[in-house]
Amino acid sequence: MKNRNVDTKSSFELKSQFNYNRQVLGEVIPLEAPYVIYIESSSYCNLECKFCPHHISKNELIKKNMSVDLFRKFVQDLKDFKGKPKLIRFCGLGDSLFNKKFLEIVKIAKENKIADRLELITNGILLNDEIMPRLGKFLDRVIVSIEGLDDEDYKKYTLRKVDFSKLVLKLKKFSELKSKAKLHIKIHNSAVLTKDRQNKFFETFSNIADEIYIENLVNLWPEIKSNLGLEAGQRFDGKELNNVKVCPQIFKSMQINSDGRVMPCCIDWKGANLIGDINKASVKDIWNGKDLHELRMKHLEGKRNEFSPCKGCTMNEYSEKDNIDDYADQIINKINL
């Protein structure tokens, strides 16, 4: 089965999930500011998906909602950069809508024009009449992860009772209220293994979503099997894996957790490679700091497989297209000036 990404506003035009019209990352490193910053406004979640740390290692998670004051500090920190991020994506181990201050947070982000684009990843369950009319005003895209096609699917994959029909109605209403924001709806391939189930997914959501997608479950989390036993190739297009020696993520993005801790990427959810804390340092100082520099050098020098969690990570192989391996020596010369 091949993945399918459909722009529903263009008569089911097949479009790639990736923007191939992109800069060659190896040529522009080091970046003045991260291209992407992931903000975990909440680490709480109302689901326990079988392929997520909320199920696999839930006792190791730090549960917290980001405070408005901490987010304001983050916004102020971004003014230290000459440029600004291309994307701020509100996501993490939890669902951002669990944070009762999320609307205030995303309003601050919009008003301060902190990035070219603002996006949210959510399971959609906590959408309500107060949230729905306002989210679309502040965000450029809302990505909703669907975990099944009925109540039983949700019980099977998320171990929670979810009224699927009610969720569909919420998303339909949000689609009508969302203003200019794009609504992107995706489902994992385990839930739509047959052609009939794929068709049911498209039929249910094609008139609601601006973009609709079947995404392969893959083994993202280090040392954990999270693909539910399915090997379907690359996460977004099912093609060959992007085998890399040097992680592109740590040169173009960072993850800021709900408590202010900063990780080099979203996969390092345990904080094995903690690179800073925005409670104690500025985002720019962390981006240009010693801890992240040392981590980058390890990768550039071919030592990725000598330490955790990088040695067990397949994020770049399964979910990435950028490859900077051939630029390693060039980048070393640049960042060691």
Side-chain angles (χ1 to χ4, degrees):
M1 183 197 74
K2 293 184 178 180
N3 287 336
R4 187 180 186 188
N5 185 23
V6 181
D7 184 331
T8 63
K9 302 303 182 184
S10 303
S11 302
F12 295 95
E13 177 187 357
L14 293 178
K15 299 178 71 175
S16 172
Q17 175 80 337
F18 286 98
N19 175 15
Y20 286 96
N21 183 24
R22 58 203 289 143
Q23 288 182 308
V24 178
L25 184 62
E27 295 180 354
V28 295
I29 294 170
L31 302 178
E32 160 64 22
Y35 277 166
V36 184
I37 301 180
Y38 303 99
I39 299 290
E40 182 188 72
S41 62
S42 179
S43 52
Y44 292 97
C45 192
N46 46 8
L47 301 181
E48 191 181 321
C49 298
K50 290 182 178 180
F51 42 81
C52 174
H54 270 277
H55 171 69
I56 299 168
S57 300
K58 57 186 174 181
N59 293 329
E60 298 182 75
L61 303 181
I62 295 175
K63 303 291 184 67
K64 190 176 180 65
N65 287 321
M66 180 175 284
S67 70
V68 174
D69 286 343
L70 185 59
F71 186 75
R72 286 188 187 277
K73 195 266 183 185
F74 162 74
V75 170
Q76 187 63 36
D77 283 356
L78 291 185
K79 296 178 182 179
D80 294 339
F81 292 107
K82 292 179 182 178
K84 61 182 179 181
K86 295 181 181 296
L87 171 65
I88 300 292
R89 179 173 285 168
F90 294 96
C91 63
L93 291 181
D95 194 295
S96 293
L97 299 183
F98 246 98
N99 190 330
K100 294 182 179 180
K101 300 292 185 179
F102 181 68
L103 281 177
E104 185 176 351
I105 285 172
V106 76
K107 181 181 180 183
I108 292 168
K110 181 68 172 180
E111 290 177 344
N112 284 273
K113 300 178 181 178
I114 62 174
D116 293 342
R117 304 192 315 279
L118 300 174
E119 295 185 352
L120 164 69
I121 298 181
T122 176
N123 59 40
I125 295 171
L126 294 178
L127 289 170
N128 58 43
D129 290 341
E130 177 188 1
I131 295 172
M132 287 191 282
R134 300 171 65 187
L135 273 184
K137 295 179 181 180
F138 304 139
L139 295 164
D140 297 288
R141 186 165 70 153
V142 176
I143 301 168
V144 179
S145 297
I146 299 297
E147 310 302 344
L149 297 177
D150 53 37
D151 297 12
E152 287 302 311
D153 279 354
Y154 268 82
K155 187 175 180 181
K156 174 182 177 181
Y157 291 113
T158 76
L159 307 181
R160 293 292 185 270
K161 184 178 180 181
V162 173
D163 188 330
F164 180 73
S165 296
K166 185 177 180 180
L167 175 59
V168 173
L169 290 175
K170 281 186 179 183
L171 295 178
K172 184 177 186 298
K173 186 172 184 178
F174 176 65
S175 179
E176 295 167 351
L177 295 172
K178 65 182 175 56
S179 185
K180 295 182 179 180
K182 282 191 174 183
L183 175 58
H184 177 114
I185 296 178
K186 63 176 182 173
I187 193 169
H188 55 87
N189 59 328
S190 291
V192 287
L193 289 176
T194 66
K195 191 66 176 178
D196 285 345
R197 287 182 66 82
Q198 293 169 31
N199 288 337
K200 182 179 179 180
F201 170 62
F202 289 122
E203 289 167 3
T204 302
F205 295 106
S206 62
N207 291 324
I208 297 175
D210 297 287
E211 301 167 349
I212 189 167
Y213 198 80
I214 298 173
E215 184 175 298
N216 288 330
L217 278 180
V218 297
N219 290 325
L220 285 181
W221 312 109
E223 302 172 3
I224 292 173
K225 292 288 185 181
S226 53
N227 66 0
L228 300 186
L230 293 175
E231 180 55 56
Q234 214 272 354
R235 180 180 178 184
F236 298 111
D237 59 20
K239 295 181 180 179
E240 292 183 2
L241 303 187
N242 177 39
N243 294 310
V244 301
K245 297 178 181 178
V246 183
C247 174
Q249 306 299 320
I250 59 178
F251 292 89
K252 66 179 181 179
S253 62
M254 61 167 55
Q255 169 87 36
I256 300 180
N257 282 12
S258 54
D259 59 357
R261 292 176 302 139
V262 185
M263 316 300 180
C265 68
C266 60
I267 298 302
D268 188 10
W269 59 273
K270 290 184 180 181
N273 290 314
L274 185 67
I275 58 172
D277 187 329
I278 64 169
N279 290 286
K280 303 173 183 178
S282 73
V283 175
K284 184 175 182 180
D285 285 346
I286 294 170
W287 178 247
N288 295 317
K290 178 182 176 182
D291 290 333
L292 185 50
H293 176 78
E294 290 180 351
L295 179 64
R296 289 166 172 163
M297 287 301 297
K298 287 179 182 178
H299 277 260
L300 292 168
E301 293 170 351
K303 299 177 182 178
R304 169 187 170 183
N305 292 318
E306 295 180 11
F307 60 97
S308 295
C310 298
K311 67 179 181 180
C313 175
T314 55
M315 167 70 174
N316 293 292
E317 283 72 16
Y318 280 98
S319 299
E320 187 54 83
K321 294 294 185 182
D322 287 322
N323 190 323
I324 61 174
D325 287 0
D326 292 341
Y327 295 88
D329 291 339
Q330 176 181 320
I331 294 170
I332 288 175
N333 291 333
K334 286 183 179 180
I335 67 176
N336 276 337
L337 288 177

